[in-house]
Amino acid sequence: MGRGRPRKTDPEQALDTAMKVFWNKGFEGTSMSDLVCATGMAKPGLYACFGDKEALYKKSLTRYFDNLGTPLLDDLEHSTDPLPIVVRRFLETVAHSMLDESCPSGCFVVNSLIEGASQHPALKAIGKEYDQRRRDVFSQRFADAQKNGEIPTQVNAQALADFFAAQSLALGVMGRTGTNEKELSNFIDVALTALPANH
Amino acid sequence: MGRGRPRKTDPEQALDTAMKVFWNKGFEGTSMSDLVCATGMAKPGLYACFGDKEALYKKSLTRYFDNLGTPLLDDLEHSTDPLPIVVRRFLETVAHSMLDESCPSGCFVVNSLIEGASQHPALKAIGKEYDQRRRDVFSQRFADAQKNGEIPTQVNAQALADFFAAQSLALGVMGRTGTNEKELSNFIDVALTALPANH
DNA sequence: AAATATATATACCGAATGGTATTTTATCAG
DNA sequence: CTGATAAAATACCATTCGGTATATATATTT
């Protein structure tokens, strides 16, 4: 086993905790003291494990996306379900995560895009990377759908993909302000009427 | 005229400037020193004119909404144009304000909702008030439209109104991340396909 | 010109910030 | 038991924060 004094807190668990704090309170709104209290790790321990505050924020956002974003995008990319089914599942999963009782703080990526836009180019950059990844998967899936005849050839598949990708931005803001489940559900129902069926 | 030493800076102009700084950098991201530099007013002058930082932020957000939000909602409420025309105009005006070169910082209300959600209940409250006002006007306009036969009786007018009101949230996030004019335009085109015509 | 009123400029305050150096404690290897 | 190692705990640092007290400058009023 290790040679020195044993860890009081598992770093992976500390990162999960830090993620929720940053997610909820933002970068500027979170102090290192907040993180010390929440994680149980002492301040020098945090710096030794994760680097400075910005590095810890980046790792938190990456953890968030690995947990929630990547599985969502994998399903969107690889599921053989019909397009309306898979798009609905995507939006409903996003909406469901907005109601997560353990951290009802909207979408961490959206929060990062908003807060990092002006002052923290590094944070904006990583947020935009994840935002772009989502958009790319939507674009690819909708282009395939048009080739497969799931949507009519005369519609602009790229615009349609961008539209549905952007709906998760609206859901993110709504989730942050406490919109309830029924309203989120209605929102998704209306959004899906913009998806043209091929018949 | 006034009795003492004349003002170096017009408070109204200072408020306009402070609004743009808060809009761009957020509440936590803006220091009083930033505001001193931007407005040209000395720090005690800012406190004498506007109160503390939170009061100045509130006045800035109010100024923003009076300038941009209120005229938009007035048009939505009172215009006799057909519903698709007036909804399109609403969204296009929002999109246009996202491209404003003087302050391309998204929507100040959306930014406030995101940032204020966790730490600053007072800021969240005023943001939600404006958000609610927008939703109320949409609801009323769509309810009227359904009575007037502009939209079919069998659709859920309330859900439709909430959906279009929420599209400005998505536009706000897109505007903050630098989405270009063509993408915003395509987004609006797709969104409007969710508005059922009555024929 | 003297007194008054109002705004500016400067200096300052305690508290909190991000970050680090130092000391103490707990484990394992010999 | 002893010495080495690694983490924890504490104290500390310079800077910046929001906010204010004090002093100075510029105008009007009498």
Side-chain angles (χ1 to χ4, degrees):
Chain A
M1 283 291 124
R3 206 129 104 118
R5 178 172 172 168
R7 314 191 90 106
K8 198 177 75 172
T9 308
D10 171 33
E12 291 300 303
Q13 196 169 337
L15 182 55
D16 278 330
T17 303
M19 175 192 79
K20 289 186 184 175
V21 178
F22 275 132
W23 182 4
N24 183 40
K25 302 170 69 162
F27 181 80
E28 301 263 12
T30 300
S31 70
M32 292 306 296
S33 300
D34 292 334
L35 296 168
V36 167
C37 291
T39 62
M41 285 181 72
K43 211 180 339 176
L46 286 173
Y47 279 86
C49 265
F50 304 111
D52 66 8
K53 190 186 180 188
E54 187 172 301
L56 179 51
Y57 186 93
K58 282 192 205 175
K59 284 169 180 162
S60 298
L61 185 51
T62 298
R63 167 68 54 102
Y64 170 83
F65 194 80
D66 289 346
N67 285 352
L68 295 180
T70 300
L72 257 181
L73 293 185
D74 283 348
D75 179 60
L76 181 61
E77 189 172 5
H78 297 117
S79 169
T80 56
D81 289 334
L83 189 63
I85 300 293
V86 71
V87 170
R88 172 177 286 278
R89 187 163 59 230
F90 181 95
L91 294 177
E92 284 181 344
T93 307
V94 172
H96 184 260
S97 93
M98 298 298 136
L99 303 165
D100 178 8
E101 291 174 3
S102 81
C103 196
S105 305
C107 168
F108 194 5
V109 176
V110 169
N111 298 353
S112 299
L113 287 172
I114 294 286
E115 188 190 358
S118 61
Q119 295 282 77
H120 301 282
L123 306 187
K124 174 182 178 178
I126 183 171
K128 283 203 79 167
E129 179 195 326
Y130 293 138
D131 181 59
Q132 189 62 47
R133 202 180 297 181
R134 179 172 46 78
R135 292 187 54 192
D136 289 343
V137 173
F138 267 95
S139 295
Q140 187 61 53
R141 183 67 175 83
F142 275 66
D144 291 347
Q146 195 165 40
K147 283 192 202 133
N148 299 342
E150 288 188 282
I151 53 179
T153 54
Q154 64 269 23
V155 306
N156 184 343
Q158 177 67 55
L160 213 54
D162 286 342
F163 171 80
F164 281 102
Q167 294 311 297
S168 54
L169 304 181
L171 286 172
V173 180
M174 287 189 279
R176 185 108 174 127
T177 61
T179 307
N180 66 41
E181 184 172 6
K182 186 58 185 168
E183 289 170 328
L184 294 177
S185 168
N186 283 341
F187 176 89
I188 293 171
D189 288 342
V190 176
L192 283 168
T193 66
L195 188 57
N198 209 0
H199 51 81
Chain B
M1 282 296 122
R3 203 130 103 108
R5 177 171 174 169
R7 316 190 91 108
K8 197 177 76 171
T9 308
D10 171 33
E12 292 299 303
Q13 196 170 337
L15 182 55
D16 278 329
T17 303
M19 176 193 79
K20 289 184 183 176
V21 178
F22 274 133
W23 182 3
N24 183 41
K25 301 170 70 162
F27 181 79
E28 301 261 14
T30 300
S31 70
M32 293 306 294
S33 300
D34 291 334
L35 297 168
V36 168
C37 291
T39 61
M41 287 181 71
K43 214 187 323 184
L46 286 173
Y47 278 86
C49 265
F50 304 111
D52 66 7
K53 189 186 180 186
E54 186 172 303
L56 178 51
Y57 186 94
K58 280 193 205 173
K59 285 170 180 162
S60 298
L61 185 52
T62 299
R63 166 68 54 101
Y64 170 84
F65 194 81
D66 289 346
N67 286 350
L68 295 179
T70 301
L72 256 181
L73 294 185
D74 283 348
D75 179 61
L76 181 62
E77 190 171 7
H78 298 115
S79 168
T80 56
D81 289 335
L83 189 64
I85 300 292
V86 70
V87 170
R88 174 177 284 278
R89 187 163 59 232
F90 181 95
L91 294 177
E92 284 181 344
T93 306
V94 172
H96 184 261
S97 93
M98 297 298 134
L99 303 165
D100 178 8
E101 292 174 3
S102 81
C103 197
S105 306
C107 168
F108 195 5
V109 176
V110 170
N111 299 353
S112 298
L113 286 172
I114 295 286
E115 189 190 356
S118 60
Q119 296 281 77
H120 301 281
L123 306 188
K124 174 182 180 177
I126 182 172
K128 283 201 83 165
E129 179 196 324
Y130 293 139
D131 182 58
Q132 189 61 48
R133 201 180 298 179
R134 179 171 47 78
R135 293 186 54 190
D136 289 343
V137 173
F138 266 95
S139 295
Q140 188 61 54
R141 183 66 175 83
F142 275 67
D144 292 346
Q146 195 164 43
K147 281 191 204 132
N148 300 342
E150 288 188 286
I151 54 179
T153 54
Q154 64 270 24
V155 307
N156 183 342
Q158 177 68 55
L160 213 54
D162 286 343
F163 171 79
F164 281 103
Q167 294 310 298
S168 54
L169 305 180
L171 286 171
V173 180
M174 287 188 278
R176 184 111 174 125
T177 61
T179 306
N180 67 42
E181 184 173 6
K182 185 59 186 168
E183 289 171 327
L184 294 176
S185 167
N186 282 341
F187 175 89
I188 293 170
D189 287 342
V190 176
L192 283 169
T193 67
L195 187 56
N198 209 1
H199 51 81

